[in-house]
Amino acid sequence: MADNKETLGFQTEVRQLLKLMIHSLYSNKEIFLRELISNASDAADKLRFEALADPALLGEDELAIRIELDKDKRLLSVVDNGIGMSRDELIDNLGTIARSGTAEFLAQMTGDQQHDAQLIGQFGVGFYSAFIVADKVTVETLRAGTDQGVRWESDGQGEFTIESTDRADRGTRVTLHLRDDEGEFSEPFRVEALIRKYSDHIGFPVTLHTEGEEDDKIVNSATALWTRSRSDVSEDEYKEFYKYLTHDFADPLTWSHNRVEGKREYTSLLYIPAAAPFDLWNREAPRGLKLYVQRVFIMDDAEQFLPLYLRFVKGVVDSSDLPLNVSREMLQQNPDLTAMRGALTKRVLDMLGKLANGDDYGAFWNEFGQVLKEGVVEDFANRDKLAGLLRFASTHAGTDTQDQSLDDYVGRMQDGQDKIYYIVADSFATAIASPHLEQLRKRDLEVLLLTDRIDPWLVDGLAEFDGKQLVDIGRTALDLPDGDGALSQDAMNDEHKPLLKKIKGVLRERVEAVNVSRRLVDSPACVVSGEHDLSPQVRRMLEASGQEVPESKPILEINVDHPLVARLSGETDEQRFDELSNIVLDHALLAEGSQLDNPAAYVHRMNRLLLDLGSTDEQA
Ligand code: ADP
């Protein structure tokens, strides 16, 4: 059937991946075996699933995986009697990568082995990892329910061939022609230890066949890990299972394994990865748990079991109650599912609660904190639990590390303080240098520094914590504990009415109002928002995404104790008063992170002022 032979090129991304992988994963090279066993076991799972509807597919055979070694020929084969692949499936599956964003992801590789190895680990390597140890890989396969076998072969350099064969056995044989210096992977002793490590938790028997020997050796216990009792599973086994499941090759941060009995029966094994996948922010990326019903694999990426804001959680759920023929659509409508989703969500939050008491939480927060924040906005029922898991940068530490909890804040509150203060800014640098902090800093009142895009929505959703209201110090009403707060804004303004009126007259087009400030110490002025206006950060974000934003002007606050304001107050030259007022506002806007509507006008004003200063110096 040689006339059937075609030579095809790999998709560009595959070529890149192959090159990078061989280089960056060399020190982890034995993981190829885990990836191939994982694929074989998935193939067996899929066959069993299809056989639910069409029992003839399964036939008499027991589903199993066999590893064959031929030391003389330096061959290692992974053989399964699972679902197999048709010619088209082979071309798609082993010639392309279907995940969107892969090209951008691969572009982040630097050539630094450690850096790249970590990135590729997050991506998940899969079948292509065979080329780390093999200079040629042959795949022979027969799709269950068909009678045309296919052979795929490649040296991993850019092309592969594909041709029909008369293969009669259902399933797939992947043969690695090991590189000269990789002979160790055809040594029974070495390989058996690896198989044991990589397959002990799979629900199918894995056997080892060595060329020249009569009997196969059964290597694993063929019990799916999650069906075992917690006390029988070691830490290492949990970690291995995670890697098998996710194709990640870093250890998970933590996991939670539970069996629920009673009205609803199911087992769940949930993991928190150590690093975010590259497509965490792609809301279309597949997510969710691997669903089994009574140990039978049903589907990957069952997203119905956890809310979107927990999309980073990996794992398995095995239900005893769901029907075997359950589909994605049915899951959506299943009343049991709502209850399971609630319980699993709670499990994850409890697991994170435990993690939060240990040393790894900072690492978790860096990777997934922003995603978890979505929960405060979306999941009202768990708001209190989520609030306890949040971490912020604050003026207490004064660094941009988000490591302070709301409980930490509350524990440090002053006598008489009944509010939690925060500021929202575009960056940490803007936040920590903000004039809005001055009075609070002077009085040693802690302020949370919020700089993530989602933060304005987060604080809206949260509103309070532990009975204490969250207060934005960038808005008009600022009620500090006793002292200055006692005087109303009106009463404070009254003392400086003529000056405020005059400034407002000049800045009429640019500001909503001019007030005397109670929050400034060192700066002459700042801008604040009205209680119900959009904050400037939200305004900028909406504008950047092309949305219509309702017109609203900031409120200018001035520091009447500041020499510049005193100078303004004493200024008799109308023109100068006008310029100075505008500059004071320009600077307040810049400090807050706004862009000036008319930067050129500002530069002109500033230049005139500087020249003015120069001439004053000369005269002196
Ligand atoms: P992943 O397993 O992460 O999807 P791989 O690159 O390892 O990525 O494999 C790509 C696809 O090739 C798999 O999703 C599967 O559809 C198919 N495949 C790989 N190995 C086998 C196998 N032994 N039997 C059937 N299909 C397989």
Side-chain angles (χ1 to χ4, degrees):
M1 293 192 195
D3 55 336
N4 235 306
K5 191 159 173 172
E6 261 184 285
T7 301
L8 297 169
F10 285 120
Q11 181 197 25
T12 319
E13 282 93 318
V14 176
R15 272 180 229 210
Q16 279 175 305
L17 180 70
L18 281 169
K19 232 196 239 144
L20 289 162
M21 199 158 49
I22 293 164
H23 173 68
S24 62
L25 293 189
Y26 192 74
S27 48
N28 281 303
K29 57 187 172 183
E30 71 273 6
I31 60 152
F32 79 88
L33 193 56
R34 179 179 69 221
E35 300 300 316
L36 297 180
I37 292 177
S38 166
N39 281 349
S41 146
D42 285 349
D45 266 340
K46 285 179 195 160
L47 181 84
R48 191 154 60 183
F49 175 69
E50 287 199 5
L52 291 174
D54 181 4
L57 281 183
L58 189 53
E60 302 288 289
D61 306 346
E62 186 192 18
L63 288 166
I65 300 165
R66 187 172 192 231
I67 317 285
E68 298 178 4
L69 302 178
D70 186 332
K71 203 175 150 187
D72 294 338
K73 297 192 177 134
R74 269 209 317 281
L75 297 178
L76 178 154
S77 307
V78 178
V79 187
D80 68 66
N81 55 358
I83 192 76
M85 286 175 269
S86 67
R87 189 182 183 108
D88 288 346
E89 285 169 333
L90 249 186
I91 295 175
D92 277 352
N93 291 337
L94 307 187
T96 62
I97 303 173
R99 233 162 128 182
S100 73
T102 302
E104 293 82 348
F105 167 78
L106 289 171
Q108 295 171 30
M109 301 286 170
T110 57
D112 173 66
Q113 192 179 350
Q114 222 183 347
H115 169 265
D116 292 356
Q118 245 173 15
L119 276 186
I120 290 200
Q122 281 156 255
F123 179 79
V125 281
F127 169 80
Y128 300 110
S129 62
F131 288 101
I132 305 174
V133 296
D135 48 22
K136 186 165 84 176
V137 178
T138 311
V139 179
E140 291 155 296
T141 181
L142 176 68
R143 177 71 167 86
T146 72
D147 52 16
Q148 182 61 74
V150 206
R151 175 190 291 122
W152 177 106
E153 192 163 86
S154 177
D155 60 4
Q157 297 294 318
E159 291 178 334
F160 59 91
T161 60
I162 193 151
E163 66 192 301
S164 302
T165 63
D166 41 19
R167 181 181 171 86
D169 299 333
R170 176 196 73 214
T172 304
R173 165 186 292 268
V174 179
T175 304
L176 277 57
H177 306 257
L178 298 165
R179 293 175 195 279
D180 286 347
D181 47 353
E182 306 296 352
E184 59 177 302
F185 295 112
S186 56
E187 301 272 2
F189 189 68
R190 168 88 164 112
V191 175
E192 187 183 332
L194 283 178
I195 306 176
R196 205 173 293 283
K197 177 169 166 196
Y198 292 143
S199 71
D200 225 15
H201 42 69
I202 316 184
F204 302 102
V206 178
T207 56
L208 179 64
H209 174 82
T210 307
E211 183 60 33
E213 278 176 31
E214 188 94 341
D215 294 325
D216 286 9
K217 190 163 184 181
I218 297 178
V219 184
N220 72 345
S221 54
T223 7
L225 179 127
W226 69 89
T227 64
R228 291 158 59 189
S229 98
R230 239 184 341 217
S231 54
D232 288 347
V233 184
S234 71
E235 289 233 334
D236 280 346
E237 287 177 303
Y238 277 121
K239 290 179 185 170
E240 261 321 312
F241 184 72
Y242 166 79
K243 294 174 183 174
Y244 152 81
L245 193 71
T246 60
H247 302 277
D248 188 351
F249 63 80
D251 287 339
L253 273 187
T254 185
W255 56 88
S256 170
H257 181 193
N258 297 92
R259 183 171 327 211
V260 175
E261 274 157 3
K263 197 160 145 265
R264 238 167 256 108
E265 290 193 7
Y266 61 91
T267 300
S268 61
L269 172 52
L270 307 173
Y271 287 96
I272 309 292
F278 76 93
D279 50 5
L280 182 67
W281 296 103
N282 171 7
R283 290 196 154 221
E284 309 298 308
R287 64 178 184 95
L289 305 177
K290 200 163 179 156
L291 173 64
Y292 288 77
V293 172
Q294 295 161 38
R295 323 250 141 97
V296 177
F297 164 79
I298 304 295
M299 66 179 84
D300 281 310
D301 310 318
E303 73 270 13
Q304 296 82 352
F305 290 90
L306 288 171
L308 185 61
Y309 74 88
L310 296 179
R311 59 185 172 274
F312 51 85
V313 176
K314 306 281 184 196
V316 169
V317 55
D318 186 347
S319 158
S320 305
D321 316 312
L322 289 170
L324 279 164
N325 64 354
V326 70
S327 65
R328 281 181 202 276
E329 295 68 43
M330 279 164 74
L331 275 181
Q332 250 143 25
Q333 293 149 16
N334 190 299
D336 279 347
L337 199 92
T338 318
M340 281 175 80
R341 181 183 166 108
L344 290 170
T345 302
K346 202 168 149 295
R347 279 255 183 264
V348 175
L349 298 181
D350 288 345
M351 168 165 55
L352 293 176
K354 272 194 206 128
L355 192 67
N357 295 325
D359 297 335
D360 288 338
Y361 198 66
F364 165 78
W365 186 259
N366 280 341
E367 292 293 314
F368 302 112
Q370 295 206 46
V371 186
L372 199 65
K373 284 178 177 179
E374 294 171 11
V376 175
V377 182
E378 288 166 13
D379 187 357
F380 186 79
N382 287 304
R383 193 162 288 175
D384 289 345
K385 264 204 165 84
L386 282 159
L389 295 171
L390 300 173
R391 293 295 180 271
F392 300 98
S394 111
T395 52
H396 173 72
T399 69
D400 64 354
T401 312
Q402 297 184 358
D403 59 358
Q404 303 297 318
S405 70
L406 290 169
D407 279 316
D408 295 337
Y409 183 106
V410 169
R412 288 191 290 259
M413 278 173 54
Q414 294 181 12
D415 289 345
Q417 179 184 354
D418 61 354
K419 301 203 164 46
I420 296 173
Y421 299 104
Y422 68 85
I423 184 169
V424 183
D426 298 330
S427 70
F428 177 77
T430 309
I432 192 88
S434 168
H436 299 100
L437 293 175
E438 291 172 358
Q439 188 60 240
L440 289 103
R441 184 177 279 143
K442 188 173 166 196
R443 295 169 56 171
D444 227 2
L445 289 163
E446 183 171 353
V447 180
L448 302 176
L449 307 168
L450 310 188
T451 53
D452 287 339
R453 286 175 66 86
I454 191 174
D455 284 339
W457 288 276
L458 174 83
V459 283
D460 266 0
L462 212 50
E464 59 160 56
F465 176 77
D466 192 22
K468 282 127 193 121
Q469 193 195 343
L470 269 72
V471 172
D472 180 353
I473 64 165
R475 291 189 183 270
T476 34
L478 178 62
D479 189 5
L480 299 178
D482 43 64
D484 309 3
L487 211 55
S488 77
Q489 185 72 60
D490 283 347
M492 284 168 54
N493 283 358
D494 268 349
E495 287 182 37
H496 302 272
K497 229 177 189 159
L499 176 63
L500 298 178
K501 217 174 141 193
K502 204 170 161 197
I503 302 176
K504 173 75 202 289
V506 172
L507 300 176
R508 200 177 317 112
E509 301 292 319
R510 301 182 64 196
V511 300
E512 190 59 44
V514 183
N515 288 335
V516 171
S517 182
R518 72 185 61 192
R519 64 196 100 207
L520 298 172
V521 176
D522 303 315
S523 299
C526 67
V527 284
V528 298
S529 322
E531 263 344 273
H532 303 291
D533 289 343
L534 289 179
S535 71
Q537 295 75 26
V538 173
R539 174 173 290 278
R540 285 193 284 273
M541 264 186 266
L542 295 178
E543 280 169 355
S545 68
Q547 296 195 46
E548 285 278 340
V549 188
E551 179 76 27
S552 88
K553 294 182 226 163
I555 295 158
L556 179 69
E557 287 195 356
I558 56 167
N559 175 0
V560 289
D561 298 325
H562 195 279
L564 197 58
V565 175
R567 166 126 179 247
L568 195 61
S569 172
E571 182 59 67
T572 49
D573 183 317
E574 292 293 319
Q575 169 100 29
R576 279 238 207 116
F577 184 89
D578 188 312
E579 301 234 312
L580 215 48
S581 302
N582 271 293
I583 288 177
V584 165
L585 172 60
D586 290 338
H587 286 175
L589 287 167
L590 289 172
E592 176 277 313
S594 285
Q595 293 201 345
L596 299 178
D597 287 339
N598 189 344
Y602 162 74
V603 171
H604 283 306
R605 279 197 281 274
M606 245 349 246
N607 285 344
R608 276 196 295 271
L609 188 75
L610 291 172
L611 279 174
D612 236 18
L613 281 177
S615 62
T616 325
D617 276 356
E618 273 162 37
Q619 283 159 15

